[in-house]
Every structure is written in structure tokens, then in C-alpha cells.
Amino acid sequence: CSFVHSPKGFPKLKNDTFLRAARGEETEHTPVWCMRQAGRYLPEFRETRAGQDFFATCRSPKLCCELTLQPLRRFPLDAAIIFSDILVVPQALGMEVVMVPGKGPTFTEPLKEVEDLLKLRQKVDVTAELGYVFQAITLTRHSLEGRVPLIGFSGAPWTLMSYMIEGGGSTTMAKAKSWLYRHPEASHRLLQLLADVITDYLVGQVAAGAQALQLFESHAGHLGPEQFQDFALPYIRDIAQAVKSRLKEEALPLVPMIIFAKDAHYALRDLAHAGYEVVGLDWTIRPQEARAQTGKDITLQGNLDPCALYAPKEKIGELVKKMLEGFGTQRYIANLGHGLYPDMSPEHVGAFVEAVHAHSRHINKH
């Protein structure tokens, strides 16, 4: 569909605070959004999703748009992130993933042997396989009416590879990691295939209207520094470089990119030089420490412990204030150190968002 490549006439952006912070420009308040802000903690989300197959929801641009907008109707967030899932990429490679209630995403036939790589599509037409995400982005970008920027995203190669081999969640990732030790060449082949698809996918998201991109390396913490160096970082770097050169070639906007590698503090210095404007942080690192390791030319994003939202509202305000003092209010995007949990109170999420705005304005004035 041709509109994917020339989505003209998007509404004018009214609140660009998030984009300014991402680019390192001065902001009046610290922008804030939440990972998994479109999620089960919202009753309206549960209602919209009721009785719907999870991946069928992901394939419906209309439902993705509705779910993306729900948190923005409740909270003065500074960014929207498209409702989707990182596992749509393995699906595009021809793998079957189903959402099993109480268990989560499950691959019907995970990769077991190196020969299984031959079953994957070696050439993926992302518009054919993932066009529904592009349509959801275009529709949502229009429906936002310029209120806030829209973030697109993808899982990173190692995280996707680990799901494809484990067949679902895992506490040790032992099956996936065993590939790295036993089959390093095949692992690199798979990671490269993923990196190529992810690059096309992210470029397609910008063509469809995404105004920023986040790469989720959610399983970074299962790797040690050496394996991260060999099997994760090179692809993270390549994706940033490839996406940027493609955006230039195709005369598309050069949007800010965020890398979120959970539990990879050992790699913060490298991640700060990996070609991303923003480095996302989980809650296990001190703000001052993260600043010291990433330097002055990077915007940081994060990193309140999601469980802090179980605290009373006043306490949430105190924790936010401390976090802002630690990071500083500039070159900073407030977020949680991971996604919201399904049993969290929407009121407490609201308290978090409002505390970021109020305290950062106060600090900026004084």
C-alpha cells in the first residue's frame, strides 16, 4: 500500500518535549512516559481486549490505535508508544507464536537444532508480513492529532533469538545460551537475519509515521560482558547505523533512537557509543553512576523501580523527586525501569506522571 511510504498531512505536533529531550535540547519540564503504559492495569484496556486473541489484537490497526490512546486519555504523558509486541518479528520469519493464558507467549515449534534455521524465511518482505503494524502507526499518528509524539519499537536480535529457541519465557535462558557456546556461527547467522529484518521493520515504522524508535534488548541481563560484546552489542550498533543510513537514503525523518538493554550496566559505556540518542536504564543502577558512565552527550531514560508504584502516592512523589535530583532535569526522560504490572493502580501511575512534571518544573525554576 503506497500510503505507507508517503504518509502526508500528519497533524502538527503540539507537545515536542519528549523529542527535544531525546535530542538533548532544553525542556521546561522533564518528559515522562511508561513502558507498557497501554496495558492490563487499565480497566478499559482489559475491556477492549476481552475475548480477543492477543496476536489478533496486534493485527488490528483499529484496536492497536485504541489501546495506544487509552493511557493518554487518562494521564498527561509526553509520548505514546504503539501497541504491539516484539514477537511479531519471529512471526514474520514464519514461526508460530500463540498467547497461552497464564503462561504467556509460546512458540509451537521453537528452534532446536541448527538445521531448523532453514525453516525460517531468509528474505522477509516487511510490508507484506508486518504491514498491519505500519497501518496501526499511521492511523494512530493521525488519531493523536499532534498531542504527543508516537514511538515505534522492536525487540533486539539476542532477545528475539532467546525467545525463538526457548519457546517462551525462561529464568535461565540456558537453551538459547547453549547455542552461543555450542553453535557460535549459526547463532551469528540467526542474529544477522534478525538484524536485517529489524532494520527494515524500523525504517518502515518511520515511513508509516513513528517519530522515535526504541530497541528492546530485554534479555541482556542473561548475558555476561563477553557474550554481550560478541552476540548483542555488534547487532545493536549495526541496527542504529543501518536504520540511520536508510532513513537518509529514503529521505525520511531522522528520528531519535533509544536503546534499552535491561540489566546490562556492564555495557553502559559501550551502549552510550552505539549510535543511539537515548540510553534507557533499568532500576538497578544509580542515576549518578549512569551519568558518569554514559557522558554528557547522551540522554538517559528511566529508571524508577516499577514496584515503587505500589507505594502510597506521597512516597511516589518523594522517590520521583530524588530520581530527578539524581539525573538532573535536562537530557533526561523519566520512565520506569521496566514495564507496568497488571495489578498496579492507575491512580498511582497518574501520581508518578504528575510528580515528574511538578518536581521538574520546580527544579528548573529554582
Side-chain angles (χ1 to χ4, degrees), residues 100-122:
V100 178
K103 189 181 171 206
T106 306
F107 285 74
T108 48
E109 290 180 49
L111 305 173
K112 289 196 168 70
E113 301 304 326
V114 170
E115 297 76 61
D116 293 341
L117 294 182
L118 299 172
K119 297 181 193 165
L120 300 173
R121 282 193 187 103
Q122 302 304 305

Side-chain angles (χ1 to χ4, degrees), residues 14-177:
K14 301 181 185 105
N15 170 6
D16 66 349
T17 315
F18 163 81
L19 293 178
R20 293 165 60 83
R23 292 191 297 252
E25 297 165 17
E26 206 174 313
T27 60
E28 282 174 34
H29 67 264
T30 297
V32 54
W33 66 281
C34 298
M35 289 187 269
R36 245 185 265 145
Q37 63 191 26
R40 287 173 292 171
Y41 75 102
L42 289 176
E44 58 270 36
F45 177 96
R46 295 196 298 271
E47 211 171 294
T48 307
R49 281 264 308 105
Q52 276 276 355
D53 171 70
F54 178 80
F55 286 107
T57 305
C58 290
R59 286 188 289 272
S60 159
K62 230 163 97 185
L63 286 176
C64 290
C65 175
E66 167 58 23
L67 294 169
T68 302
L69 295 177
Q70 285 177 350
L72 293 156
R73 294 187 191 122
R74 275 193 189 243
F75 314 117
L77 294 153
D78 293 289
I81 182 164
I82 193 66
F83 176 81
S84 186
D85 193 87
I86 64 171
L87 299 181
V88 299
V89 170
Q91 287 177 334
L93 288 165
M95 294 188 82
E96 193 189 1
V97 192
V98 292
M99 195 57 84
V100 178
K103 189 181 171 206
T106 306
F107 285 74
T108 48
E109 290 180 49
L111 305 173
K112 289 196 168 70
E113 301 304 326
V114 170
E115 297 76 61
D116 293 341
L117 294 182
L118 299 172
K119 297 181 193 165
L120 300 173
R121 282 193 187 103
Q122 302 304 305
K123 262 311 229 185
V124 175
D125 173 350
V126 291
T127 306
E129 300 299 330
L130 296 166
Y132 59 87
V133 179
F134 302 155
Q135 290 167 20
I137 287 173
T138 302
L139 177 63
T140 307
R141 174 86 187 264
H142 282 293
S143 306
L144 275 165
E145 296 175 331
R147 196 174 345 170
V148 293
L150 179 60
I151 304 168
F153 71 90
S154 174
W158 155 249
T159 295
L160 294 179
M161 169 182 171
S162 63
Y163 270 115
M164 290 158 77
I165 294 171
E166 295 290 341
S170 157
T171 49
T172 60
M173 298 293 157
K175 287 181 193 150
K177 286 178 73 177

Side-chain angles (χ1 to χ4, degrees), residues 195-362:
D196 292 344
V197 177
I198 290 163
T199 298
D200 289 348
Y201 181 42
L202 291 174
V203 171
Q205 291 186 44
V206 176
Q211 290 153 292
L213 298 169
Q214 177 155 312
L215 191 67
F216 283 86
E217 189 69 281
S218 313
H219 295 170
H222 291 279
L223 302 177
E226 281 175 27
Q227 281 189 311
F228 188 84
Q229 205 74 37
D230 287 349
F231 295 102
L233 188 65
Y235 300 98
I236 287 170
R237 275 198 194 116
D238 290 354
I239 287 167
Q241 206 178 345
V243 167
K244 287 177 178 187
S245 66
R246 287 269 302 280
L247 292 176
K248 278 202 187 95
E249 268 164 42
E250 297 179 27
L252 289 165
L254 276 177
V255 303
M257 294 179 72
I258 308 165
I259 175 66
F260 175 62
K262 189 173 179 291
D263 293 323
H265 351 109
Y266 54 76
L268 277 183
R269 274 196 174 79
D270 290 325
L271 290 166
H273 296 107
Y276 294 75
E277 286 69 26
V278 184
V279 172
L281 305 165
D282 60 74
W283 68 91
T284 60
I285 185 149
R286 291 188 177 87
Q288 295 84 343
E289 175 100 353
R291 279 278 182 222
Q293 288 195 44
T294 51
K296 288 191 284 288
D297 301 326
I298 286 289
T299 293
L300 294 177
Q301 173 178 284
N303 74 340
L304 191 73
D305 180 356
C307 288
L309 297 189
Y310 293 124
K313 288 185 198 169
E314 311 70 67
K315 178 70 175 161
I316 293 171
E318 285 165 35
L319 293 167
V320 164
K321 181 168 179 279
K322 196 172 166 204
M323 181 170 83
L324 286 161
E325 285 163 354
F327 283 109
T329 58
Q330 301 298 321
R331 262 203 182 282
Y332 174 52
I333 296 161
N335 204 318
L336 305 170
H338 200 242
L340 289 158
Y341 301 151
D343 64 345
M344 287 180 162
S345 143
E347 284 68 46
H348 287 222
V349 175
F352 166 64
V353 173
E354 277 151 30
V356 171
H357 287 162
H359 287 297
S360 62
R361 282 200 174 97
H362 183 81

